[in-house]
Amino acid sequence: MQKKITVIPGDGIGTEVIEQALLVLDKIEKVYRHRFERQEAVAGGAALNATGVPLPAETLERCKASDAVLLGALGGPKWDSNPPGMKPENGLLGLRAGLGLYANLRPARIYPALANASTLKREVVEGVDLLIVRELTGGIYFGKPRGVSKEGEEEVGVNTEIYRTSEIRRIAKVGFEAARKRRRILTSVDKANVLEVSQLWRRVVTDVGKDFPDVELSHLYVDNCAMQLIANPKQFDVVVTSNLFGDILSDEAAMLTGSIGMLPSASLGGNIGIYEPVHGSAPDIAGKEIANPIATIASLAMMLKYSFGLQKESDAIEQAIVSVLEAGYRTADLKEEGKTTVGTKQMGELIIERVG
Ligand code: NAD
């Protein structure tokens, strides 16, 4: 197989974890005799530094001309005070919008070897295997009116949570279809007791559900879901929700696994998917060679599966991760007594050794 991948390392630990993922890709090429052509592109802080904008037109063009995008992380304190529209995050939002990616898939699976790494009790997290499907291009992150204006002596900040039937339908469908490939349980999360937009969300999801009678649908308020994710996370199979709620709940689900450094994601919808770790650029540990590269390597595994249909190769990476963890190797974020703490590069090498 021959494919073209655009690689956006980004900022902070983004560059460190991407380096390891690309070395894993080298090994996959060698063992399975594929050819993955790579082209680098800039976005976020790196793009602001190089070009003055968070998403240069050339980057979007490169992404559109490739088969998939692998991204590290964007952002950092250096650009925090940039004006709206000129922050690194605008690079990511622009990429998602430009590629028509409206669905973000975030699996949270507990690796057996890491059941003790969670802050929750082993019996609560053992066996957790859930998927959060987050709407990605609508809702309050894009809704208008937005902004901060003067009202007499006061300033007023406004953002708008807005969803159209078509947007809810298509993300609900992704949720139902994902559930069909798993345990056939779908939880739709909203705040329908307070928000009209959530009442519409609930009505439309219920309606889409008529085409999926084999999937068990239930609705949860977001506050209850936040609680249930901690109290009894095993009850969840697929969770479908809005952009804002999904952003928060997926980070909460991340912590079930022990570290945000373990969580991969896929953003789908158009022809070209973006694969990236759930975590950010972690400026507090950037340059220290201690970042966990597993989320990014697992994102690469998702790319091979979802964009290229390479199930065997994807499983080989997943299996290598399981094997390294079973052998007792941990990055600093998963530090555990009696286990061996390794750095970013060494974790990459240990995984590569076990691929194929
Ligand atoms: P973060 O995910 O970067 O870091 C949160 C905490 O988790 C930090 O203590 C960090 O050290 C730790 N952490 C994250 N990834 C890790 C890894 N792979 N290994 C070990 N530890 C890890 O979130 P934040 O601190 O809120 O944000 C930092 C910057 O990243 C901000 O500029 C933010 O806007 C940006 N950000 C970008 C993305 C993205 O590119 N998709 C996502 C979230 C945040």
Side-chain angles (χ1 to χ4, degrees):
M1 179 177 282
Q2 194 157 356
K3 294 285 179 192
K4 195 164 169 185
I5 300 170
T6 297
V7 181
I8 304 177
D11 309 311
I13 63 165
T15 53
E16 300 168 39
V17 291
I18 282 287
E19 188 185 332
Q20 296 314 309
L22 291 179
L23 291 170
V24 172
L25 192 62
D26 288 344
K27 181 75 180 277
I28 292 284
E29 276 188 321
K30 213 151 116 196
V31 174
Y32 297 94
R33 297 176 184 282
H34 299 302
R35 170 99 184 87
F36 300 109
E37 192 191 320
R38 303 132 205 220
Q39 52 175 358
E40 234 186 70
V42 286
L48 280 161
N49 282 354
T51 67
V53 292
L55 181 62
E58 195 190 337
T59 293
L60 189 55
E61 271 159 33
R62 280 191 187 182
C63 291
K64 283 183 176 167
S66 58
D67 298 301
V69 178
L70 185 66
L71 187 141
L74 310 183
K78 185 177 167 194
W79 307 281
D80 276 352
S81 51
N82 278 18
M86 293 302 274
K87 292 184 187 286
E89 291 76 2
N90 296 110
L92 196 54
L93 297 178
L95 267 177
R96 287 169 178 168
L99 295 176
L101 306 178
Y102 59 83
N104 187 223
L105 274 57
R106 298 188 176 194
R109 191 173 74 135
I110 304 292
Y111 290 92
L114 293 185
N116 284 335
S118 174
T119 50
L120 299 187
K121 292 191 190 107
R122 174 180 264 277
E123 58 267 31
V124 175
V125 296
E126 211 164 29
V128 166
D129 181 3
L130 60 89
L131 175 72
I132 296 194
V133 176
R134 166 188 170 195
E135 201 289 326
L136 207 54
T137 51
I140 199 162
Y141 290 178
F142 294 92
K144 285 184 182 145
R146 64 185 300 156
V148 179
S149 59
K150 270 273 196 197
E151 207 174 75
E153 286 305 293
E154 294 210 280
E155 285 193 285
V156 183
V158 176
N159 287 94
T160 305
E161 170 78 349
I162 177 165
Y163 273 112
R164 292 182 172 75
T165 316
S166 55
E167 291 172 304
I168 305 170
R169 272 195 172 277
R170 64 184 187 180
I171 192 70
K173 249 182 109 197
V174 173
F176 279 107
E177 274 161 8
R180 228 174 214 175
K181 293 190 192 117
R182 296 169 48 102
R183 300 197 302 279
R184 294 174 186 256
I185 305 169
L186 180 68
T187 310
S188 172
V189 174
D190 60 42
K191 188 68 184 167
N193 48 343
V194 181
L195 303 175
E196 284 82 358
V197 60
S198 279
Q199 287 157 14
L200 176 67
W201 177 282
R202 191 173 279 222
R203 212 156 20 87
V204 174
V205 173
T206 305
D207 192 50
V208 173
K210 289 180 190 150
D211 295 335
F212 296 85
D214 51 322
V215 176
E216 188 190 317
L217 170 68
S218 62
H219 301 274
L220 267 191
Y221 296 138
V222 62
D223 43 343
N224 190 10
C225 182
M227 217 162 61
Q228 295 294 327
L229 268 174
I230 299 295
N232 178 17
K234 269 179 254 187
Q235 69 183 287
F236 294 109
D237 179 18
V238 180
V239 173
V240 65
T241 191
S242 64
N243 205 342
L244 173 66
F245 295 160
D247 194 359
I248 299 164
L249 293 176
S250 56
D251 269 19
E252 190 188 359
M255 277 322 291
L256 299 174
T257 67
S259 170
I260 197 166
M262 295 297 297
L263 285 183
S265 82
S267 301
L268 310 172
N271 295 327
I272 301 137
I274 297 186
Y275 298 83
E276 57 175 322
V278 166
H279 63 73
S281 58
D284 54 332
I285 59 164
K288 294 187 180 157
E289 232 292 292
I290 57 170
N292 186 347
I294 292 181
T296 310
I297 294 171
S299 301
L300 175 70
M302 287 184 89
M303 174 192 285
L304 297 181
K305 180 157 72 177
Y306 288 103
S307 278
F308 305 154
L310 297 174
Q311 183 77 44
K312 186 169 44 133
E313 291 79 346
S314 177
D315 289 349
I317 295 176
E318 276 294 333
Q319 213 29 61
I321 294 171
V322 170
S323 161
V324 169
L325 296 172
E326 297 287 341
Y329 295 105
R330 306 278 187 273
T331 39
D333 51 313
L334 296 168
K335 206 174 167 109
E336 202 182 327
E337 208 167 295
K339 307 293 180 198
T340 314
T341 307
V342 296
T344 311
K345 288 197 170 89
Q346 203 183 345
M347 180 53 91
E349 280 160 17
L350 287 161
I351 292 170
I352 290 159
E353 268 170 27
R354 289 165 169 80
V355 169

